[in-house]
Amino acid sequence: MLSFILRRLGTMALTMLCLTMIVFFLINLEPNLKKLAISQTEMHTSAEQLESWLVNHGYRQNFFARYGQWLGVVPKQPITDPATGKVSQRFSFCNDPVEPTFSGILQGDFGCSTKFKTTVASKLFPALGATGILMFCVLVVMVPVSLLIGILAGMREGSRTDRTLSVASIASTATPEYVSGVIFTVIFASWLGILNGSAASASQGITFYNFTLPVMTLAIYGIGYIARMTRASMVEVMTQQYIRTARLKGLSFGSVVVKHALRNALIAPFTVIMLQFPWLLTGVVIVEVMFRYQGFGYTLVEAAGNNDIDLLLGCSLVSVFIVLITQLISDVGYAFLNPRIRVQ
């Protein structure tokens, strides 16, 4: 198992290197650089002045040199005035060094946010913390409810309970976040007035009033999907020979379900649950903008809308890392849950 994890970690590092290089190339395409220069100067700045700004701030360096500086394997260079030879910081609001130094991802320096006028780390990590709270609340609601629905539906295939819960699961899965969010806002915020349609105040304090709608909106889709997977797995397990044998030995139906069927039925849903983490990262982009919750999704939209290159790169790096680490945890957990799986 240890050698398997080490091999996967090596593969993850190589994958992150390749994906971040692709993202770095796409974000630094010429149109994006031009928009960044315009946003940092004035709308009527001449083309020569825009080009001068890009050159002075290091955006015209060799692609691999810039990528190496972002990683931290190539030293960053300060700005040098060609007329006076005076050395100055690349971005003064980030306390960039005034001499060549290694300062990149490997050293914990994620760069400077040109939109928020601060370091990327000081903006990105608080946003991740806010989104982490939202994701935790969603999982606390989504996982137990979906497993309960799936188990109840799969225990007696074809029963009225099974049909009712299956229809509800399909309906929730077919409803995207931007639809369910609007429906919940209209019903609970506009008509009934029992919930707040904005989660902006949740940054000062999370309450049932201001945090329920975004949690419901994110959880409703995942509940249906996980419940359907759990039901299918439960139905398959309940038809196995060892279940029949346990019933013939006189064990009660509840005892058979809890002691024999449940663990095997949870193997497939466990993988699906772990894969909800990458989906939640994409889901929060819609939900956080809709409910004005300033987390990772809100930060990503702001960075993309303002051509904030370093902040976009930081968001991309976090997204890739979460996808890869959840896949690793899923594979390891699957092996522990299923003794028949042997890691070669």
Side-chain angles (χ1 to χ4, degrees):
M1 180 62 74
L2 180 59
S3 61
F4 166 75
I5 294 176
L6 291 176
R7 289 198 304 270
R8 285 297 301 271
L9 289 175
T11 304
M12 286 171 54
L14 182 60
T15 303
M16 290 185 67
L17 183 67
C18 295
L19 289 177
T20 53
M21 182 178 291
I22 294 172
V23 172
F24 191 91
F25 172 77
L26 294 175
I27 291 177
N28 284 278
L29 290 175
E30 186 64 22
N32 295 332
L33 294 179
K34 289 291 186 182
K35 291 179 182 178
L36 172 63
I38 292 173
S39 67
Q40 296 300 305
T41 53
E42 297 179 359
M43 291 296 296
H44 301 290
T45 304
S46 66
E48 291 77 12
Q49 290 174 316
L50 294 177
E51 182 66 23
S52 175
W53 188 91
L54 291 173
V55 170
N56 290 336
H57 287 80
Y59 290 101
R60 290 309 189 194
Q61 296 183 55
N62 177 271
F63 169 78
F64 293 102
R66 288 194 56 216
Y67 181 66
Q69 290 174 0
W70 180 73
L71 285 179
V73 296
V74 175
K76 284 185 177 179
Q77 302 294 330
I79 299 174
T80 303
D81 190 330
T84 62
K86 183 180 179 181
V87 176
S88 61
Q89 294 174 313
R90 181 167 170 258
F91 290 110
S92 58
F93 49 81
C94 284
N95 294 321
D96 272 359
V98 293
E99 57 184 20
T101 183
F102 291 92
S103 180
I105 296 298
L106 297 179
Q107 290 80 27
D109 181 7
F110 286 76
C112 297
S113 170
T114 53
K115 159 64 178 175
F116 297 101
K117 306 301 181 183
T118 184
T119 61
V120 169
S122 64
K123 184 64 183 178
L124 179 60
F125 292 116
L128 275 175
T131 297
I133 295 173
L134 177 59
M135 291 174 66
F136 175 78
C137 294
V138 170
L139 290 172
V140 167
V141 173
M142 181 174 66
V143 174
V145 172
S146 58
L147 291 179
L148 180 61
I149 292 174
I151 291 170
L152 290 176
M155 283 169 55
R156 299 185 184 276
E157 183 183 11
S159 64
R160 181 178 298 179
T161 301
D162 178 27
R163 293 195 298 270
T164 303
L165 293 177
S166 296
V167 170
S169 299
I170 294 173
S172 66
T173 305
T175 307
E177 299 92 342
Y178 54 85
V179 174
S180 60
V182 172
I183 293 174
F184 290 151
T185 301
V186 171
I187 294 175
F188 295 104
S190 299
W191 289 355
L192 300 178
I194 59 176
L195 296 176
N196 193 351
S198 171
S201 60
S203 58
Q204 281 76 42
I206 294 174
T207 64
F208 179 84
Y209 179 68
N210 64 16
F211 212 57
T212 301
L213 281 181
V215 171
M216 287 173 56
T217 302
L218 277 172
I220 194 69
Y221 178 88
I223 285 175
Y225 183 55
I226 298 174
R228 292 291 297 168
M229 293 296 297
T230 306
R231 177 200 174 274
S233 182
M234 194 70 181
V235 168
E236 181 182 358
V237 169
M238 292 299 292
T239 60
Q240 297 298 316
Q241 189 64 42
Y242 66 89
I243 297 294
R244 294 197 187 102
T245 302
R247 290 287 285 161
L248 291 173
K249 287 182 177 180
L251 292 178
S252 65
F253 183 76
S255 179
V256 170
V257 170
V258 173
K259 293 183 178 180
H260 298 279
L262 196 55
R263 177 176 178 178
N264 291 323
L266 291 179
I267 293 175
F270 172 79
T271 305
V272 176
I273 291 170
M274 292 307 303
L275 294 178
Q276 296 305 301
F277 285 90
W279 166 76
L280 283 174
L281 270 184
T282 59
V284 296
V285 174
I286 299 173
V287 172
E288 288 183 359
V289 172
M290 180 181 298
F291 295 103
R292 291 182 290 177
Y293 183 67
Q294 297 188 16
F296 178 80
Y298 171 84
T299 303
L300 177 60
V301 171
E302 286 293 308
N306 293 277
N307 297 285
D308 195 336
I309 290 179
D310 285 350
L311 187 55
L312 270 174
L313 289 170
C315 292
S316 301
L317 181 66
V318 169
S319 301
V320 172
F321 176 78
I322 290 178
V323 170
L324 294 177
I325 200 67
T326 51
Q327 288 181 346
L328 175 62
I329 295 173
S330 175
D331 291 341
V332 174
Y334 190 88
F336 277 111
L337 284 174
N338 191 350
R340 293 170 295 181
I341 299 297
R342 295 177 60 189
V343 181
Q344 297 295 332

